[in-house]
Amino acid sequence: MKTLRFLALEEALKRQILEPKENISVPEEFGKCVFNKTQMRRYLSSEAYDGIMQAIEKGVRISRKVADQIALGMKAWAIENGATHYTHWFQPLNEASAEKHDTFFEPDKEGMVIEKFSGDKLVQQEPDASSFPSGGMRSTFEARGYTAWDPSSPAFILGKTLCIPSIFISYNGDALDFKTPFLRSLTAIDKAATKVCSLFFKDVHKVNVTFGWEQEYFLVDEALYFARPDLILTGRTLIGHPSAKDQQLEDHYFASIPERVKAFMQDLEIEAWRLGIPLKTRHNEVSPNQFECASIFEEANLANDHNILLMDIMRKIAERHHFRVLLHEKPFAGINGSGKHCNWSLMASNGVNLLSPGNNLQTNLRFLAFVSIVLKAVYEYNDLLKATIASLGNEHRLGGNEAPPNIISAFLGNTISSILNEIESKVAQNHLSVSEKKALTLDIGKIPEILLDNTDRNRTSPFAFTGNRFEFRAVGSSANPAAALIALNTSVAAKMLEFYDLVKIYQKKGKNKEEAILTAIQKFYSASKDILFDGNGYSKEWHEEAKRRGLSVTNSAVEALAAYIQPKNIQLLESFGILKHHELEARYEIRLEYYVKKLQIESRVLGNLVDNHIIPTALYYQQRLLDIVLKYVQVFQSEEKIDVHKKLIDELNEHISALYSLKVSMEEARKQANMIEDIKEKAFMYSNNVKPYMEKIRYHADKIEMLVDNQDWPLPKYRELLFIR
Ligand code: ADP
Ligand code: MG
């Protein structure tokens, strides 16, 4: 009988390349499915239009009357564009988006259908959402949470459904999603940055966070995917011997995109553009069958929604091309995993990118001020930042194969580092001679405007300055990036206020503004230099050094997550009204629960693979070898010349016994962990006692894969998953 693997291979090898569904004119179609400003102008009264603009720009509340008008216009637009349903679209704490569709149409008294969609349905919805993670914040008898419209992110049509971006909160006001605290953090940083801007500009009344993401992913043929229970159930391969060739020759990176993948990408781009997602680049990544797409940066709330939306449509469009998209951080052992680089900067209302160097002393003081503020935030809250990216998937990725190491450090590049060092050594001297002062200000004025070429050398730095922005690279490919950006925005906001106050203190002490700013830059830089690192992040020396510098060095996601409930971090997030203490406790708990549940599933799947796939295959091959031995002895009455056969039988025996006993021990460890009530203790048990068995089991399973007949092996091999496209 043919194994499922062979049936899958037959199917995968017969795949046709699907032409992209249609050819479109990009300018005409871009944003076609979005209720954007152009559509709002067409469908809304000027009162309604102004109301929504005020809400977006100034956070002004939308009145009931105006909400009704907006609902009317939005409905007309949606129905004209083929929508039949509407939903509040929100981001619960499970790293996906959620929707619950209601139709626009309701039967009236005469049995006819009428369209119904009013202001209150636009503004608020009550999904029966009791089974979303809440970390104990909603007891089941009071399980109602509600979703509320976020007017700052435009509604869009997905399929035949009008999607209304929303926040998700409980009845007593606790945030149950990513968007709520994310929006709050954007307000916090806006206020703080505007204050710091007043030191440099007269006309800045708002500062937006800009965010551009780069999304990495793998594609695997659908048939092969369905022949791997581990991929179906866990999103990654739990076993699989490395392919003889994978990424050593570096021949996949930036090579020409395989035709079938290109067709997928074209379809994806069309869909993304219609939804207003400005996808710009696409290319192969380092691992075989690994790819990346990146979008042009946008205001952060919108960019974040776009990333979540993109991950969703990616899955759907991959299916059309008989691919499955893997967003897991480490789908394959031994080769690169996938991350989501988050390019982050600040855009003032006068159009200045605050992290972009200028061409004179003034602009570069502004630039260095903001750089030193970000550095101090990342230094003081490196543990919190690390907690936001810690997950079971990222635990496999970080610290291996070109991923950033598991220690958050920052990288500035030579130009900026040396100018900051110069400032440090000179300003700290206090009494600069006139000529020294002149030399220093001259040097600051001379920072090249374009730094892009010489900044990005350290590709594995977790937090790198890349010319006019910072790039947070430790974020996992499947994560909702808002989790990381909430921490980044808030910690930076805190340091902005501190910086502003410091400048004011120096001014009071008699320094002129320039000197006061320069001194504040020096103080900030000196206090946070320990976050800077430009060496080999994987070395043992760095680990030791980082520990000495007080940075979080743990490799364990479970340990790293505890930073969510560190008093210093609670204080930070509470003081800006981002999340309250019990909300942070809840988030911490939810993340631990996810860790445990995912590991439990992985460990069960692995156990099943051992029992139902690997051991039976090994025994079958062993039985054939034994048959040969038996018959040989019968025929030749001698045991000479069958040494190899016996050796193979022995080898198989060793691996089978090891596999079996390790599996039993893993089950035992799991049982013990399952008996523990306390989630923190349970997560530690899973991480310390269950997880290590998985590596050991994998070792023997992969050995068996290499020993038995290729014809018998039931699971698609790495070389097939990675090279068939
Ligand atoms: P690389 O692979 O070299 O990092 P990419 O072109 O793939 O470069 O990605 C760069 C990303 O950085 C894009 O998403 C781009 O829009 C984003 N970016 C550029 N400038 C800014 C900025 N000021 N703020 C935020 N993101 C930015
Ligand atoms: Mg990048």
Side-chain angles (χ1 to χ4, degrees):
M1 205 186 70
K2 279 183 183 167
T3 59
L4 185 54
R5 166 167 163 249
F6 269 86
L7 293 171
L9 281 170
E10 274 174 10
E11 205 179 320
L13 292 172
K14 278 196 305 230
R15 281 289 177 234
Q16 304 279 322
I17 296 169
L18 260 81
E19 282 308 307
K21 231 173 168 173
E22 56 214 311
N23 276 317
I24 63 156
S25 135
V26 184
E28 263 173 47
E29 298 279 322
F30 190 85
K32 202 179 171 194
C33 298
V34 184
F35 195 55
N36 54 22
K37 283 188 185 167
T38 321
Q39 301 304 333
M40 286 188 210
R41 277 226 178 75
R42 279 185 55 195
Y43 286 86
L44 298 183
S45 66
S46 59
E47 188 186 5
Y49 182 81
D50 289 345
I52 220 171
M53 287 304 130
Q54 292 275 325
I56 296 172
E57 278 152 29
K58 302 200 180 101
V60 177
R61 258 191 122 80
I62 290 173
S63 74
R64 188 50 177 277
K65 184 173 145 236
V66 170
D68 275 334
Q69 289 181 17
I70 296 170
L72 218 62
M74 206 186 264
K75 183 187 70 180
W77 168 77
I79 290 175
E80 257 173 53
N81 284 282
T84 53
H85 288 66
Y86 66 90
T87 180
H88 273 198
W89 181 82
F90 58 102
Q91 299 162 29
L93 295 169
N94 60 4
E95 305 193 339
S97 58
E99 335 168 338
K100 177 190 170 236
H101 300 188
D102 283 312
T103 171
F104 285 117
F105 303 97
E106 282 179 23
D108 67 2
K109 287 192 196 102
E110 275 86 50
M112 308 284 281
V113 249
I114 50 163
E115 304 156 11
K116 254 193 162 168
F117 180 62
S118 59
D120 39 298
K121 291 211 167 124
L122 164 67
V123 173
Q124 193 169 317
Q125 227 186 10
E126 222 176 285
D128 178 24
S130 46
S131 41
F132 286 116
S134 67
M137 283 185 304
R138 284 174 309 160
S139 39
T140 1
F141 65 89
E142 228 282 82
R144 293 177 312 166
Y146 67 93
T147 54
W149 176 36
D150 165 21
S152 63
S153 180
F156 55 89
I157 298 173
L158 192 59
K160 288 185 176 300
T161 303
L162 169 70
C163 296
I164 302 161
S166 301
I167 58 169
F168 181 36
I169 41 191
S170 78
Y171 262 87
N172 42 18
D174 293 333
L176 299 171
D177 67 346
F178 288 102
K179 198 190 247 288
T180 307
F182 188 42
L183 287 170
R184 291 176 184 152
S185 77
L186 291 168
T187 306
I189 198 168
D190 168 20
K191 280 193 188 146
T194 304
K195 209 166 168 188
V196 177
C197 277
S198 72
L199 299 170
F200 303 97
F201 310 101
K202 286 196 191 74
D203 54 346
V204 169
H205 55 85
K206 189 173 169 62
V207 175
N208 275 329
V209 173
T210 51
F211 170 28
W213 40 261
E214 301 161 51
Q215 177 75 52
E216 294 179 334
Y217 61 96
F218 280 85
L219 287 175
V220 170
D221 186 90
E222 173 181 80
L224 303 178
Y225 172 92
F226 281 120
R228 296 269 327 200
D230 48 358
L231 280 183
I232 302 173
L233 300 177
T234 74
R236 76 179 184 101
T237 55
L238 300 174
I239 55 171
H241 194 279
S243 166
K245 169 185 186 286
D246 44 52
Q247 66 186 40
Q248 310 90 321
L249 303 180
E250 293 172 344
D251 48 357
H252 187 61
Y253 192 48
F254 282 174
S256 69
I257 300 171
E259 285 306 312
R260 195 174 143 212
V261 175
K262 198 148 86 198
F264 155 77
M265 287 176 170
Q266 281 165 347
D267 266 353
L268 177 64
E269 283 166 353
I270 292 171
E271 183 79 14
W273 289 334
R274 285 210 170 118
L275 286 161
I277 305 172
L279 271 195
K280 179 144 186 293
T281 48
R282 56 175 188 215
H283 61 78
N284 293 356
E285 260 302 327
V286 175
S287 299
N289 272 357
Q290 190 189 26
F291 307 93
E292 178 187 297
C293 61
S295 117
I296 298 172
F297 72 91
E298 301 173 278
E299 183 282 317
N301 178 40
L302 184 59
N304 202 77
D305 282 0
H306 280 166
N307 180 250
I308 302 301
L309 188 54
L310 179 96
M311 291 197 284
D312 188 30
I313 60 175
M314 245 178 158
R315 293 192 186 94
K316 291 178 187 152
I317 289 166
E319 281 176 29
R320 175 172 179 256
H321 291 265
H322 302 288
F323 279 125
R324 279 297 179 280
V325 55
L326 306 180
L327 289 169
H328 193 284
E329 282 75 17
K330 193 79 174 179
F332 302 98
I335 54 176
N336 284 18
S338 299
K340 175 149 43 205
H341 293 182
C342 294
N343 296 273
W344 178 96
S345 191
L346 298 162
M347 178 71 80
S349 55
N350 60 358
V352 173
N353 174 353
L354 299 175
L355 288 171
S356 192
N359 50 13
N360 57 38
L361 175 67
Q362 275 302 316
T363 46
N364 282 331
L365 273 183
R366 181 263 304 152
F367 163 66
L368 293 171
F370 282 99
V371 167
S372 65
I373 286 168
V374 175
L375 283 188
K376 193 148 192 268
V378 175
Y379 176 56
E380 287 181 21
Y381 296 99
N382 77 88
D383 59 335
L384 178 63
L385 285 171
K386 186 159 146 178
T388 65
I389 53 113
S391 67
L392 182 62
N394 229 2
E395 205 173 46
H396 289 291
R397 165 183 168 247
L398 295 178
N401 291 93
E402 293 184 39
N406 224 328
I407 301 167
I408 304 290
S409 66
F411 169 74
L412 287 181
N414 282 338
T415 318
I416 313 292
S417 301
S418 54
I419 192 86
L420 282 167
N421 283 331
E422 194 187 334
I423 291 175
E424 184 185 32
S425 65
K426 294 211 173 132
V427 175
Q429 282 172 27
N430 242 333
H431 296 291
L432 282 187
S433 69
V434 179
S435 63
E436 279 172 321
K437 236 182 230 171
K438 227 183 190 157
L440 179 62
T441 51
L442 211 66
D443 284 350
I444 296 174
K446 276 194 314 207
I447 298 173
E449 258 182 280
I450 309 286
L451 284 167
L452 295 167
D453 295 333
N454 65 357
T455 46
D456 200 16
R457 290 218 195 89
N458 195 330
R459 297 292 303 176
T460 57
S461 174
F463 197 85
F465 181 72
T466 48
N468 58 2
R469 60 188 187 269
F470 278 95
E471 185 169 335
F472 194 12
R473 298 179 176 138
V475 181
S477 47
S478 70
N480 186 321
L485 298 185
I486 291 165
L488 182 59
N489 293 343
T490 314
S491 54
V492 171
K495 295 302 114 183
M496 283 170 167
L497 297 181
E498 189 180 308
F499 186 91
Y500 181 86
D501 291 344
L502 198 59
V503 171
K504 290 291 152 188
I505 289 172
Y506 289 134
Q507 280 182 305
K508 255 192 206 135
K509 284 187 181 159
K511 285 190 193 295
N512 71 28
K513 195 162 87 181
E514 246 163 43
E515 279 173 352
I517 292 170
L518 201 56
T519 317
I521 292 173
Q522 179 259 314
K523 287 277 184 258
F524 264 51
Y525 177 63
S526 300
S528 45
K529 256 169 85 177
D530 271 355
I531 195 68
L532 289 179
F533 179 69
D534 179 23
N536 173 10
Y538 303 135
S539 68
K540 223 181 145 219
E541 292 77 46
W542 170 232
H543 190 91
E544 290 308 310
E545 171 64 14
K547 205 152 120 189
R548 198 190 55 72
R549 295 186 189 182
L551 304 177
S552 162
V553 295
T554 177
N555 278 322
S556 148
V558 174
E559 261 177 53
L561 283 168
Y564 266 111
I565 51 162
Q566 281 292 308
K568 154 183 84 86
N569 300 331
I570 296 173
Q571 205 273 331
L572 171 78
L573 291 153
E574 278 205 328
S575 69
F576 283 92
I578 311 293
L579 288 166
K580 293 196 267 311
H581 187 161
H582 70 276
E583 291 173 300
L584 285 163
E585 291 271 0
R587 260 155 226 254
Y588 173 49
E589 210 174 282
I590 290 168
R591 297 279 288 265
L592 289 177
E593 252 164 34
Y594 261 87
Y595 186 96
V596 167
K597 282 181 187 163
K598 284 190 173 165
L599 196 47
Q600 186 179 44
I601 294 169
E602 285 192 352
S603 148
R604 282 178 181 161
V605 173
L606 184 60
N608 294 348
L609 286 175
V610 167
D611 286 339
N612 308 140
H613 291 71
I614 303 158
I615 291 185
T617 310
L619 290 178
Y620 178 60
Y621 185 56
Q622 205 184 31
Q623 182 207 343
R624 279 158 58 195
L625 290 168
L626 281 166
D627 269 354
I628 296 172
V629 172
L630 205 65
K631 283 177 187 152
Y632 194 97
V633 176
Q634 267 177 10
V635 173
F636 296 102
Q637 304 289 319
S638 144
E639 291 203 13
E640 275 171 51
K641 295 185 183 169
I642 46 173
D643 287 358
V644 174
H645 304 72
K646 285 176 162 171
K647 213 171 140 225
L648 280 172
I649 292 168
D650 276 353
E651 254 182 81
L652 278 168
N653 250 346
E654 267 172 43
H655 291 302
I656 293 168
S657 330
L659 206 52
Y660 187 77
S661 71
L662 284 166
K663 191 217 67 169
V664 172
S665 306
M666 177 176 72
E667 282 167 350
E668 198 46 51
R670 213 164 65 215
K671 261 184 213 146
Q672 297 214 341
N674 288 343
M675 285 191 297
I676 296 170
E677 286 284 325
D678 180 69
I679 185 64
K680 198 172 143 198
E681 219 177 298
K682 193 176 192 160
F684 271 109
M685 283 282 272
Y686 259 96
S687 164
N688 297 338
N689 298 355
V690 178
K691 200 176 169 215
Y693 282 113
M694 299 187 62
E695 282 311 305
K696 292 182 190 149
I697 289 174
R698 175 177 196 135
Y699 170 82
H700 294 286
D702 292 354
K703 284 283 180 202
I704 292 176
E705 181 186 332
M706 286 295 101
L707 281 171
V708 303
D709 187 346
N710 182 52
Q711 296 292 324
D712 300 335
W713 191 250
L715 303 167
K717 297 189 172 189
Y718 265 33
R719 61 168 182 258
E720 293 150 359
L721 296 167
L722 291 172
F723 287 97
I724 292 178
R725 57 187 67 141

